[in-house]
Amino acid sequence: MSVTNIGATPATTTQGHTVSVNETILPRKYQEEIFRRAQDHNIIAALDTGSGKTLISILLIKWIVLQPSAIGKAVVFLVPKVALVEQQAEFITSQTPLRVRKFHGSLDLELSDRSNWKSSFEKADVVVMTAQIFLNILTHSHWSIDKVSLIIFDECHHTRKNHAYNGIMREYFQVHPTERPKVFGMTASPIWNPKDAEGSLLTLEKNLDAIVIAVRDHVSELLENSPRPVEVIKEYSPSPDNYLYLNPSLWDTLSLFQFDDVDISWDKLHMKYHVTRNSLGPYSADLFIYHEVRARVNQLLLEFDTPDYHFVNPFSIQEDGMDIDDPPASQNTPSIPVALEQVDSILSDFKPFFEDLSTSPPAVPIPVPLAWCTPKVKALAEVLLAYHTPTFHGIVFVEQRQVAACLAKVLSKIPELRGRIRCAELVGHGSGHSARSKGSNANAASGVNVKGMGLARQQDTVRLFRRSYEEGGLNLRAFLLCTCITSLTFFVCLVVATSVAEEGLDFPACDLVIRFDPLHHMVGYVQSRGRARTKTSTFVIMAQVGHASHLDRYKAFQEIEPELKRVYQGRENPTRPASSESSSDSEEGELEEDDPEDLAARERYIVPSTGAVLTYGSAIGLINYLCSLIPHDAYTPPSVPKYSGDYAAVLELPSSLPLPVDHLIYRGPTRNSKREAKRAVAFIAVKALHKLDVFDDYLLPSTGSKGKSDYDADGRKLPDVSEIPDIMTVFVQDPWTLGPRLRMHVISIDGEDSAGLVTGAELPPFELSSEGYTITVRCTDELVFHPEEEWETLRMLEEYTKMGIWFCISGRPITLPITCFLVPLTEHNCIDFEAVKRVVNEPYGTYNWEGVTERDFGSTMVMNCNLYGRAQTLHNIRYDLTALSVPPPGSREAGYATYQEYFVQKWTRKSREAFVPTDCPLIEIHSLPRAPSGLYRPASRHQDIDKYKRHTAPVGSIVPQGACRVVHFSRPVYRAFLFLPRICRRATDVYRAREERFQLGLPPIDDDLLVEGSTLPTTNATWNNQRLETLGDSVLKLTCTVHIMNKFPHRHEGQLSQLRQSSISNRTLLSRAKEIGLERFLSSETQSLHAWRYTIPEESDVVDRLMQARHTIRREYPRRSLQDCMEATLGAAFLTGGIDMALRTGDALGLSMGGPLPWSLRYSRPPESSLIPPMFADLQASIGYEFHRSELLVEAITHPSFTTSAGSSYQRLEFLGDGKPRSSGTNLSMLTQNLAVIDLVIMRHLFQQFPDATSGQLSAARSRAVCGPTLASVAVNRLGLHKHLLINNVELSTAITRHVPILETLSPEDAILKGWKYDPPKALSDVLESLVGAVLVDSAYNFEKTASVVEVAMSDVLGVLTTNLPRDPVSELMVWAATGGCKRIAFQQVPLIAHEQVVAGPITASNLSLSKGLAAERARAILGDPNHEMSLARLCDCRRTAEERMDICPEPPGDQTSQKVTDETEEGFASIAQQKLEEDYIPPVDAVEDVEAELSDEMVLTSI
């Protein structure tokens, strides 16, 4: 690898251009000079664009991390724009071995996520981020300046006024000088006001606590590597009034109509139209109008979501519309306004001129003659033609976004330029545009982009430009060989950009840079010219003939630039200024903004407990952030603060904040500027809101998001669970041990003492019902053996028990020492040692049949020596038959001459011959069961066993008496052995449950329910904790919701949702479970006993185990089992003692429920009742409840649009009535979100009504009952809440009027089965939820009374609700695909893609979830049709591909904890599908076999 001594990326030559290659980068001498000076002082490096300033920062980073003072600190690299984060982070990563993290607004890490911010800084050496994010981190005390070793300011000339750079430096100056980090600034324009160059320079130095320096010793080398372009002025004529263009034009046609009925901002469009027309010409102006109006018309048409009208989306292939089953005949659907239809028709007529969907992306469909363009565009075309070469690359700078977009579309369609250039626009994010999306706006993706570009699209444009540069430009010969221009999509040789391209972005050096619009300031001149930095580059200034002011400004910039550079280049050993009265913080022509008196009056508010800082600069942003979290539906505008007054501002907060009226309005002091007055009143408001606990001690309106907070809602620290492995190794409580003290437990079967169970722990007394028998176990005495005989006695008991287990249970020998003994008893319940000795001495029985008489039939156990180890019982002795007798016709032996011949054939093996004595009678025997499992059913889950029984007679046979031994186990002992696995299992479960209750301080939860709550699915039992976990999840949400809502009365629903999430998240449950040691009490052992598990582990010291009791055993199970068991324990407590016991349990488990005190004592209500308005009389009768407080009822039915400053809406009550987070739109996945009051009532009903239903079935049924359409149907049909709802919004009232007739025809069955196809206004379901919340509050939080109201209101739904419901279409498709093994399906927005083929969609609907549902329904039919060309059988090769990859060792998966799972990627779709497939619990095969064996054993046990 070669080494190049350059300051930019090493390069090689291709077609006249230098292109980047991966070579080692070494600094030039002038860079080393700046680096050496930066080690000694804080400096601002003033170097031209392209001179390698970033490489100097790399050198400084490498140097600073080696300093002792930098240990444990981070390097912060700050940039002013989002796109620069990715660029600089990538460069630092490529040049250093350091850990680099990057942050900007489009990354999924929220400001309130304190724990992840802290972790990110601790795990990084260098952090690259936008300045505003770092300022937020500092002010909210997520990190501090003294934990930073170096701050690098890219484009540091922004450090002035209220820019975030300046805010960061204000925090920097608050730190003691010895603890401040080093500062390094980089800029090509350190002076922004040419009229006061010295003042600008001093201000920048003062703000950054640094000195501006330039290269002194190696100037010639710098000039050699930073060449100046040739500067050219291109003049053009003024625009004419008339053009040879379409008559009438699109704008003229639209202007002929009056559009008062169409919600389009015509005034704003008119202004932008004329700006575009004056700059580019009539065609470009119409192009802008077409795409802008088309996007708005499409949006308006979507709102008319009738099934019979569907418009064509111009940016996608449109399929058929919604498929509503049996829509009502009359839906009273309002017609589309005539004006809107006219606009749509006009746009369709002009579509051939402005839109071509056959190309990707859609392009201008026709050639654009220069006659349709302004002289300015003609002059631009002349410049492009004059400077064009086959390897040409350039940038055109414009002022406005729509001009950039239109010009980029039109230039390549001008006949004179066609085939010579390939254009793309590059604009900023714009206000209101989220940098998260990648081309999410269809208009931005394919039309005229006026709303800004997302980060991904910006990066794509730069990447295509660089790729064209590296490939040597757009080759004309290659172009002529192409059939269409779309083949050159991956090449861009000309970028039309706004100021976003002036600085920072990693553009290669351009041949041509053109200032299409006038220059306004010195910085823009220097930065844009810096893009033309090769020796042959040209910088063109376009100026209109006769506009002398534009030319004069440019010439002034050109002339004064050398003088400005001499200001800082000529200084010898400059010193850092402490202050300067002559400093300037304004650009040329700007007025001073911050008055000195105002600055002197500013305050800082520091929260003592956290160090979070409130400043005048952050206060307005915090108020805006608080209001942005207030939920709102589609019919309510976002909540915003209102400022009034001029120099003494008044702030009015939204009435949707749950604050007293006197805390919604704040008045600020008098200030000398309007903006400062606004900051001052915001500062006062934030301070007051912090005291009201609306802002927490970190001055954030929420304590965490997505369960990532370090604290729960009560402010208690959450232990770190990141190091807990997915599969935990734990020591669980276990009673099976020996030790020095042994205890006797008597086993009684149906009241008869049958045997004794000896172990080293005292087992709790318990009762077990199984197969019609009642088994009880009770502890009687402590056993004491003679010291000299103790070891021999224990050996005998062990031999006896092992033999019984082998003979009666497992059929396998036991080699390890066992931890319990089952022994025969005398009539006084002492160990029958004689019986023990008989078995030990003759373990396989005796051939001596003396003493066996008729009374022993049915109770004597025998063993056929030809069928070794199989237990059988004697039924009869046939003295009339021997082995030589002839079998009677019809018997199983009838095909043989004698019984002997049959026995020989049946029992002969390769290794032995059959033993068939002929001198003895034959005996009738019945086979006894063996190898039963530990399966049993708790009392709470007893079922009618008869429906599982196989109603067949016991299997009997005839064998020679001489071939059988009489076994010494008695009938009662055998029966006890047969039940021993279940007894041991039940004893283990009860022991752990009672230890859990005692050690954790739980209330008296029912044993069976607590056992079920602690039983993991890994046991392979027919029951486990998943049902209780589903119920407990609802209990947890309700109890946390009630506590949080009362604890934080002044926080709105959005804040409460995040608080609750931090208290109920899986992370919180896991951390609290580990904190209390819940893992010690969970049962994970399989209940199949093919091998006896109650033994001393092989690695253990047997003598030590006999001398000392050990009540724990090592087990492994998934860590997620802990969070499930937390919720299952809550569910068990709720079923035992209702909400009161659940509160006590939650307190013992460490959950945020407000303590163990019952709600009735914790929350009181006013003793005096208030008069209920007559309009609510019928409503109270419908729900069967009379309100105590009328204001709660009024609040419950008040939509946010109706509220005033003196009243509240239903949002907080709705938060109580339901538990789901607010969303601006509905999503199918949201239908599975858990609710609160209604959710718990529905879940309890399902739990009790369907005891056989799995957890997945319960959740699916619950989601159907509590989804928006079902609740809206109940609100309308059962309660008539649409008549009581208080609304002040025409659109919402219209939507409700349109949907009420549809809902009135909707039966409860249709609401459950087909509800996903309907999308009624959310307000209809919200008002029902808020009404339920109002009942709960009004009844002093009496849950049972509230539950009865819900049951009455939803009785029709509950009557038809079952657990055998068809899945919604998306889930059905997912499960079907997962069952078939396909992993190549995903949604792409709305179209459904399978193996890169569009199968269905996009389908237009009123919301995304409905559109996905319809697309999934259609895709399922297509993929499942074997005759269709897109059937899954033809498309899918996933199974074959998986088999081919089995021999390849897969790479270990990375950390995926922060990755968001979505159905819009193939991996996410497959992951969600697999989860849904596993939701319906199916017992594993061995568990099913155990159940079958258990049930087949029952008939034998019954016969015994």
Side-chain angles (χ1 to χ4, degrees):
M1 180 179 293
S2 61
V3 179
T4 309
N5 184 28
I6 60 176
T9 306
T12 186
T13 301
T14 302
Q15 298 183 13
H17 269 287
T18 56
V19 296
S20 300
V21 295
N22 185 19
E23 296 181 343
T24 303
I25 298 179
L26 295 179
R28 297 188 179 101
K29 293 181 179 180
Y30 70 83
Q31 292 168 322
E32 292 177 344
E33 175 189 337
I34 300 295
F35 165 57
R36 286 193 300 271
R37 297 169 69 180
Q39 296 178 38
D40 301 327
H41 307 284
N42 291 348
I43 69 165
I44 300 167
L47 297 172
D48 287 341
T49 301
S51 57
K53 295 186 292 293
T54 304
L55 180 58
I56 302 174
S57 69
I58 296 293
L59 299 175
L60 196 58
I61 290 172
K62 291 180 178 180
W63 172 79
I64 198 73
V65 296
L66 299 177
Q67 307 307 308
S69 60
I71 297 176
K73 297 183 179 181
V75 174
V76 177
F77 196 117
L78 298 176
V79 297
K81 298 181 181 179
V82 172
L84 298 177
V85 174
E86 301 283 344
Q87 174 183 306
Q88 300 290 27
E90 181 179 349
F91 184 71
I92 297 172
T93 301
S94 67
Q95 299 301 318
T96 72
L98 301 174
R99 300 170 298 172
V100 181
R101 294 293 304 270
K102 55 189 177 184
F103 297 103
H104 51 70
S106 63
L107 296 178
D108 191 20
L109 192 56
E110 298 183 13
L111 180 60
S112 56
D113 192 357
R114 175 174 173 78
S115 60
N116 269 345
W117 280 118
K118 182 179 179 182
S119 174
S120 298
F121 272 83
E122 290 175 343
K123 295 178 180 179
D125 301 310
V126 182
V127 181
V128 184
M129 59 175 57
T130 50
Q132 187 60 54
I133 291 182
F134 187 54
L135 179 57
N136 293 340
I137 291 171
L138 294 177
T139 56
H140 295 295
S141 195
H142 296 337
W143 201 251
S144 58
I145 286 287
D146 58 349
K147 295 180 181 178
V148 177
S149 60
L150 169 66
I151 304 180
I152 298 172
F153 293 86
D154 193 11
E155 308 296 348
C156 68
H157 53 270
H158 293 291
T159 313
R160 61 194 188 94
K161 295 186 178 178
N162 292 299
H163 192 277
Y165 277 179
N166 223 12
I168 291 169
M169 288 308 297
R170 291 189 187 106
E171 299 303 315
Y172 166 94
F173 286 114
Q174 297 299 320
V175 178
H176 190 275
T178 60
E179 298 178 350
R180 294 174 185 171
K182 178 173 284 294
V183 173
F184 179 66
M186 302 184 295
T187 182
S189 310
I191 297 174
W192 52 80
N193 185 358
K195 293 183 178 181
D196 185 10
E198 188 70 27
S200 294
L201 202 65
L202 292 176
T203 298
L204 182 64
E205 291 180 329
K206 181 186 69 175
N207 291 347
L208 276 172
D209 192 31
I211 54 176
V212 176
I213 66 169
V215 175
R216 293 183 309 190
D217 301 333
H218 303 87
V219 176
S220 58
E221 184 189 40
L222 173 62
L223 295 176
E224 176 68 21
N225 290 280
S226 299
R228 290 279 298 271
V230 176
E231 299 188 28
V232 176
I233 298 174
K234 177 66 176 180
E235 292 187 312
Y236 57 89
S237 302
S239 300
D241 295 331
N242 299 308
Y243 291 85
L244 295 175
Y245 179 59
L246 301 175
N247 189 17
S249 67
L250 173 60
W251 179 255
D252 293 337
T253 306
L254 291 173
S255 300
L256 292 176
F257 296 89
Q258 297 295 324
F259 300 123
D260 295 338
D261 295 337
V262 181
D263 185 16
I264 296 178
S265 300
W266 296 107
D267 292 339
K268 292 183 179 179
L269 287 179
H270 183 265
M271 180 179 63
K272 289 188 176 181
Y273 169 82
H274 282 287
V275 169
T276 309
R277 190 179 191 276
N278 291 335
S279 182
L280 303 181
Y283 178 83
S284 296
D286 275 354
L287 178 67
F288 157 69
I289 289 297
Y290 175 84
H291 286 288
E292 188 73 2
V293 176
R294 167 52 72 194
R296 180 57 181 159
V297 168
N298 289 352
Q299 183 181 3
L300 293 173
L301 290 177
L302 262 179
E303 298 176 4
F304 293 89
D305 53 348
T306 60
D308 56 345
Y309 184 90
H310 299 286
F311 64 89
V312 176
N313 186 339
F315 302 112
S316 60
I317 300 173
Q318 177 64 42
E319 294 197 14
D320 295 338
M322 288 171 53
D323 180 20
I324 301 292
D325 291 349
D326 302 324
S330 176
Q331 299 183 3
N332 295 332
T333 302
S335 61
I336 297 174
V338 175
L340 183 59
E341 289 184 330
Q342 289 176 337
V343 174
D344 185 49
S345 176
I346 292 171
L347 294 176
S348 299
D349 291 341
F350 279 87
K351 179 179 178 181
F353 292 95
F354 300 110
E355 189 170 37
D356 180 9
L357 293 176
S358 63
T359 62
S360 178
V364 171
I366 61 174
V368 181
L370 285 175
W372 292 0
C373 302
T374 61
K376 187 175 182 180
V377 175
K378 295 178 184 178
L380 174 63
E382 293 172 0
V383 171
L384 294 175
L385 287 172
Y387 289 94
H388 179 268
T389 65
T391 60
F392 162 83
H393 284 83
I395 300 178
V396 178
F397 283 100
V398 299
E399 287 186 355
Q400 298 194 13
R401 296 189 187 95
Q402 82 274 8
V403 173
C406 291
L407 186 59
K409 293 284 187 295
V410 167
L411 279 177
S412 60
K413 288 295 184 177
I414 295 175
E416 289 81 357
L417 295 177
R418 185 173 177 84
R420 297 178 181 272
I421 61 172
R422 176 69 173 169
C423 288
E425 74 267 28
L426 181 66
V427 300
H429 300 316
S431 60
H433 183 87
S434 173
R436 296 174 186 267
S437 62
K438 181 177 180 177
S440 60
N441 187 316
N443 190 36
S446 55
V448 175
N449 181 8
V450 299
K451 294 185 178 179
M453 296 175 67
L455 172 62
R457 290 196 61 223
Q458 287 183 343
Q459 292 174 330
D460 287 344
T461 300
V462 176
R463 184 165 53 251
L464 294 178
F465 188 77
R466 290 193 64 87
R467 177 174 178 177
S468 174
Y469 180 87
E470 292 166 3
E471 295 293 332
L474 182 59
N475 187 282
L476 180 59
R477 179 177 297 177
F479 177 83
L480 295 175
L481 294 175
C482 296
T483 58
C484 65
I485 198 167
T486 57
S487 62
L488 298 173
T489 299
F490 299 104
F491 292 91
V492 172
C493 64
L494 183 67
V495 173
V496 183
T498 58
S499 60
V500 70
E502 287 182 353
E503 59 186 27
L505 289 173
D506 188 20
F507 280 100
C510 296
D511 303 291
L512 180 67
V513 174
I514 303 172
R515 291 293 312 200
F516 189 73
D517 289 326
L519 288 165
H520 293 290
H521 50 75
M522 187 72 189
V523 173
Y525 166 64
V526 174
Q527 299 283 13
S528 57
R529 190 194 61 196
R531 295 301 180 190
R533 57 178 184 269
T534 68
K535 296 180 179 179
T536 59
S537 296
T538 303
F539 182 54
V540 177
I541 303 295
M542 298 189 64
Q544 182 176 321
V545 174
H547 275 210
S549 60
H550 294 168
L551 282 176
D552 291 343
R553 185 182 297 116
Y554 159 67
K555 292 178 179 179
F557 291 155
Q558 189 180 39
E559 292 172 359
I560 201 172
E561 184 188 11
E563 297 180 12
L564 297 180
K565 285 190 174 182
R566 284 194 289 272
V567 171
Y568 55 85
Q569 287 179 335
R571 297 191 300 174
E572 291 292 335
N573 300 321
T575 58
R576 195 179 310 169
S579 63
S580 175
E581 296 180 357
S582 64
S583 64
S584 172
D585 202 24
S586 299
E587 292 180 3
E588 181 184 7
E590 284 187 345
L591 297 176
E592 196 70 38
E593 179 182 309
D594 297 327
D595 187 273
E597 292 184 7
D598 289 344
L599 294 177
R602 285 185 175 183
E603 305 173 58
R604 284 171 59 87
Y605 175 66
I606 301 177
V607 180
S609 61
T610 63
V613 179
L614 172 66
T615 66
Y616 272 48
S618 63
I620 294 178
L622 287 175
I623 293 293
N624 292 337
Y625 184 31
L626 170 67
C627 294
S628 71
L629 296 177
I630 300 175
H632 64 93
D633 57 24
Y635 301 98
T636 307
S639 299
V640 294
K642 297 179 181 178
Y643 294 90
S644 59
D646 292 331
Y647 298 98
V650 177
L651 169 60
E652 182 180 354
L653 297 175
S655 60
S656 47
L657 284 173
L659 295 170
V661 176
D662 58 330
H663 286 287
L664 289 174
I665 299 177
Y666 294 90
R667 302 183 185 279
T670 302
R671 290 291 185 262
N672 294 325
S673 72
K674 297 177 182 180
R675 182 168 295 182
E676 189 70 11
K678 187 177 176 181
R679 295 187 189 116
V681 72
F683 183 88
I684 293 172
V686 174
K687 284 180 62 177
L689 293 176
H690 172 244
K691 294 178 180 177
L692 289 174
D693 207 25
V694 177
F695 288 97
D696 63 17
D697 283 348
Y698 291 98
L699 294 179
L700 288 168
S702 57
T703 58
S705 61
K706 304 178 182 179
K708 299 176 182 177
S709 175
D710 281 339
Y711 299 87
D712 61 16
D714 293 325
R716 293 178 297 171
K717 179 77 174 178
L718 295 176
D720 183 20
V721 296
S722 60
E723 302 300 325
I724 300 177
D726 290 337
I727 302 298
M728 301 187 304
T729 299
V730 300
F731 287 89
V732 299
Q733 296 288 300
D734 196 74
W736 306 110
T737 184
L738 293 177
R741 302 174 61 185
L742 300 180
R743 291 167 177 80
M744 168 66 75
H745 304 82
V746 175
I747 300 174
S748 298
I749 302 176
D750 282 347
E752 178 185 353
D753 293 342
S754 301
L757 182 63
V758 178
T759 186
E762 181 177 343
L763 301 177
F766 62 87
E767 183 177 288
L768 172 66
S769 296
S770 184
E771 289 86 38
Y773 291 91
T774 300
I775 306 159
T776 61
V777 177
R778 66 186 189 276
C779 184
T780 56
D781 304 300
E782 182 177 337
L783 297 179
V784 179
F785 301 120
H786 192 283
E788 296 181 359
E789 301 175 357
E790 181 174 4
W791 289 100
E792 179 61 24
T793 302
L794 293 177
R795 186 193 64 79
M796 288 175 52
L797 297 181
E798 182 177 52
E799 292 291 333
Y800 178 89
T801 305
K802 284 184 175 181
M803 191 63 204
I805 294 171
W806 170 81
F807 184 63
C808 305
I809 301 176
S810 66
R812 293 183 176 90
I814 302 175
T815 58
L816 296 174
I818 57 179
T819 53
C820 63
F821 309 132
L822 191 140
V823 297
L825 298 178
T826 65
E827 58 181 349
H828 300 295
N829 284 339
C830 296
I831 298 178
D832 187 348
F833 283 104
E834 293 300 321
V836 172
K837 290 178 181 178
R838 284 196 297 271
V839 171
V840 172
N841 293 334
E842 294 180 326
Y844 306 114
T846 177
Y847 287 110
N848 184 4
W849 283 78
E850 295 180 4
V852 178
T853 63
E854 188 174 338
R855 70 174 182 274
D856 297 316
F857 292 172
S859 60
T860 298
M861 296 174 58
V862 299
M863 181 174 62
N864 185 348
C865 66
N866 293 289
L867 300 174
Y868 188 71
R870 295 190 181 179
Q872 296 158 326
T873 182
L874 177 64
H875 183 67
N876 193 11
I877 299 178
R878 297 291 301 272
Y879 292 103
D880 58 328
L881 296 176
T882 68
L884 299 177
S885 299
V886 179
S891 65
R892 74 178 68 176
E893 300 90 353
Y896 298 88
T898 63
Y899 281 106
Q900 179 187 26
E901 183 179 339
Y902 169 76
F903 294 147
V904 170
Q905 188 276 334
K906 183 178 180 181
W907 296 337
T908 300
R909 300 289 183 270
K910 291 182 180 181
S911 58
R912 60 176 172 81
E913 296 182 355
F915 174 58
V916 185
T918 58
D919 56 350
C920 59
L922 300 183
I923 60 175
E924 295 178 2
I925 59 174
H926 287 170
S927 296
L928 294 178
R930 192 177 63 187
S933 72
L935 288 171
Y936 73 92
R937 292 181 176 86
S940 61
R941 299 181 62 84
H942 277 175
Q943 302 171 5
D944 182 8
I945 202 66
D946 289 335
K947 67 180 179 181
Y948 297 107
K949 285 186 178 180
R950 301 170 184 168
H951 296 282
T952 57
V955 178
S957 59
I958 294 179
V959 296
Q961 183 187 49
C964 296
R965 302 182 185 187
V966 178
V967 179
H968 296 306
F969 289 107
S970 65
R971 172 180 171 274
V973 170
Y974 170 78
R975 194 164 58 173
F977 266 114
L978 206 60
F979 282 119
L980 183 60
R982 298 183 179 100
I983 292 172
C984 290
R985 181 73 200 196
R986 178 63 176 173
T988 304
D989 291 342
V990 175
Y991 176 83
R992 288 175 181 168
R994 296 187 181 177
E995 285 294 311
E996 178 183 1
R997 185 185 300 128
F998 171 74
Q999 295 189 34
L1000 300 185
L1002 298 177
I1005 303 173
D1006 179 78
D1007 276 348
D1008 285 334
L1009 291 174
L1010 194 55
V1011 165
E1012 185 174 344
S1014 301
T1015 301
L1016 307 186
T1018 56
T1019 59
N1020 293 340
T1022 55
W1023 51 272
N1024 54 51
N1025 64 4
Q1026 294 302 288
R1027 277 171 50 89
L1028 280 176
E1029 181 267 335
T1030 305
L1031 176 64
D1033 182 68
S1034 300
V1035 176
L1036 175 63
K1037 282 184 171 60
L1038 175 60
T1039 50
C1040 283
T1041 297
V1042 171
H1043 168 56
I1044 290 169
M1045 191 172 132
N1046 284 278
K1047 181 180 176 67
F1048 302 100
H1050 300 311
R1051 298 198 182 185
H1052 60 69
E1053 185 196 358
Q1055 294 173 285
L1056 298 179
S1057 295
Q1058 292 192 354
L1059 280 168
R1060 179 182 54 206
Q1061 183 62 24
S1062 68
S1063 297
I1064 66 175
S1065 67
N1066 285 336
R1067 177 194 171 193
T1068 300
L1069 294 174
L1070 177 60
S1071 63
R1072 293 294 180 230
K1074 286 294 293 181
E1075 198 172 48
I1076 63 176
L1078 183 65
E1079 70 275 8
R1080 298 170 293 158
F1081 310 105
L1082 308 188
S1083 294
S1084 61
E1085 302 91 345
T1086 177
Q1087 300 196 36
S1088 175
L1089 288 177
H1090 296 298
W1092 189 251
R1093 80 164 185 86
Y1094 303 99
T1095 60
I1096 297 175
E1098 186 173 4
E1099 66 276 5
S1100 300
D1101 187 339
V1102 177
V1103 175
D1104 179 64
R1105 289 289 183 131
L1106 292 175
M1107 299 299 296
Q1108 183 178 359
R1110 301 288 180 83
H1111 295 287
T1112 60
I1113 193 166
R1114 186 175 179 269
R1115 292 288 181 260
E1116 292 183 349
Y1117 50 77
R1119 78 174 194 169
R1120 65 163 298 167
S1121 302
L1122 285 179
Q1123 54 221 40
D1124 289 350
C1125 285
M1126 290 283 280
E1127 292 177 321
T1129 305
L1130 282 177
F1134 175 71
L1135 290 178
T1136 302
I1139 289 292
D1140 289 352
M1141 185 170 286
L1143 292 173
R1144 295 170 60 189
T1145 302
D1147 184 65
L1149 296 177
L1151 300 175
S1152 296
M1153 295 183 178
L1157 197 64
W1159 286 344
S1160 58
L1161 300 178
R1162 194 188 310 176
Y1163 309 121
S1164 60
R1165 68 179 185 181
E1168 300 83 11
S1169 61
S1170 54
L1171 185 64
I1172 306 298
M1175 66 176 290
F1176 299 124
D1178 59 336
L1179 177 58
Q1180 292 189 120
S1182 298
I1183 63 176
Y1185 179 82
E1186 292 187 1
F1187 274 84
H1188 181 79
R1189 299 166 55 191
S1190 62
E1191 68 272 15
L1192 282 174
L1193 182 52
V1194 173
E1195 181 180 342
I1197 52 93
T1198 302
H1199 185 264
S1201 65
F1202 196 85
T1203 58
T1204 64
S1205 59
S1208 299
S1209 71
Y1210 58 49
Q1211 286 181 314
R1212 273 177 63 93
L1213 288 176
E1214 181 206 354
F1215 171 76
L1216 182 58
D1218 79 10
K1220 58 182 180 289
R1222 297 273 64 80
S1223 174
S1224 59
T1226 306
N1227 188 298
L1228 275 178
S1229 62
M1230 288 295 293
L1231 298 182
T1232 61
Q1233 293 284 343
N1234 297 302
L1235 306 179
V1237 179
I1238 301 176
D1239 177 84
L1240 181 53
V1241 174
I1242 297 295
M1243 182 52 67
R1244 181 172 67 174
H1245 167 81
L1246 292 169
F1247 191 95
Q1248 296 173 342
Q1249 190 74 15
F1250 303 101
D1252 296 335
T1254 65
S1255 171
Q1257 290 173 325
L1258 292 176
S1259 297
R1262 182 257 315 276
S1263 69
R1264 298 294 182 89
V1266 298
C1267 68
T1270 303
L1271 296 180
S1273 174
V1274 172
V1276 170
N1277 297 326
R1278 182 72 175 171
L1279 303 179
L1281 289 177
H1282 61 292
K1283 301 175 184 178
H1284 297 88
L1285 186 58
L1286 301 179
I1287 304 172
N1288 184 27
N1289 183 283
V1290 175
E1291 291 81 4
L1292 177 57
S1293 299
T1294 303
I1296 291 177
T1297 303
R1298 187 166 71 244
H1299 281 85
V1300 164
I1302 301 175
L1303 294 172
E1304 288 176 341
T1305 63
L1306 197 63
S1307 67
E1309 292 88 348
D1310 287 340
I1312 293 296
L1313 297 177
K1314 302 176 182 178
W1316 66 270
K1317 290 189 175 183
Y1318 297 84
D1319 188 28
K1322 190 173 173 295
L1324 290 174
S1325 57
D1326 287 348
V1327 70
L1328 174 61
E1329 296 160 4
S1330 64
L1331 180 65
V1332 172
V1335 172
L1336 183 65
V1337 176
D1338 188 74
S1339 64
Y1341 292 90
N1342 187 322
F1343 173 77
E1344 294 303 329
K1345 187 176 292 187
T1346 308
S1348 66
V1349 170
V1350 175
E1351 290 165 354
V1352 168
M1354 302 190 68
S1355 57
D1356 293 340
V1357 171
L1358 295 178
V1360 299
L1361 192 61
T1362 70
T1363 54
N1364 275 335
L1365 294 172
R1367 299 181 181 92
D1368 64 81
V1370 175
S1371 298
E1372 174 63 29
L1373 176 63
M1374 285 181 167
V1375 172
W1376 178 74
T1379 304
C1382 183
K1383 301 180 182 296
R1384 297 284 312 279
I1385 298 178
F1387 286 103
Q1388 290 187 359
Q1389 290 295 323
V1390 178
L1392 187 129
I1393 311 295
H1395 288 266
E1396 301 180 354
Q1397 299 293 322
V1398 178
V1399 180
I1403 298 178
T1404 300
S1406 56
N1407 60 66
L1408 179 61
S1409 65
L1410 179 56
S1411 185
K1412 281 187 175 182
L1414 294 170
E1417 189 176 50
R1418 182 169 301 169
R1420 174 66 179 85
I1422 293 173
L1423 294 171
D1425 182 0
N1427 298 320
H1428 199 283
E1429 63 180 357
M1430 287 192 180
S1431 68
L1432 195 63
R1434 299 185 181 186
L1435 294 177
C1436 183
D1437 60 352
C1438 294
R1439 289 188 181 275
R1440 183 174 68 252
T1441 304
E1443 292 172 359
E1444 293 173 354
R1445 293 178 178 176
M1446 286 184 64
D1447 295 334
I1448 302 176
C1449 181
E1451 296 182 4
D1455 183 12
Q1456 300 178 352
T1457 56
S1458 62
Q1459 298 179 1
K1460 183 179 180 180
V1461 178
T1462 172
D1463 59 11
E1464 296 187 0
T1465 65
E1466 292 179 350
E1467 296 79 4
F1469 191 99
S1471 175
I1472 298 173
Q1474 189 61 36
Q1475 293 174 12
K1476 289 182 178 292
L1477 183 63
E1478 295 171 356
E1479 279 180 358
D1480 294 333
Y1481 173 72
I1482 302 175
V1485 175
D1486 55 352
V1488 175
E1489 294 174 350
D1490 292 338
V1491 174
E1492 293 177 349
E1494 173 188 359
L1495 296 176
S1496 66
D1497 295 342
E1498 292 162 2
M1499 62 183 180
V1500 181
L1501 290 169
T1502 304
S1503 67
I1504 296 177

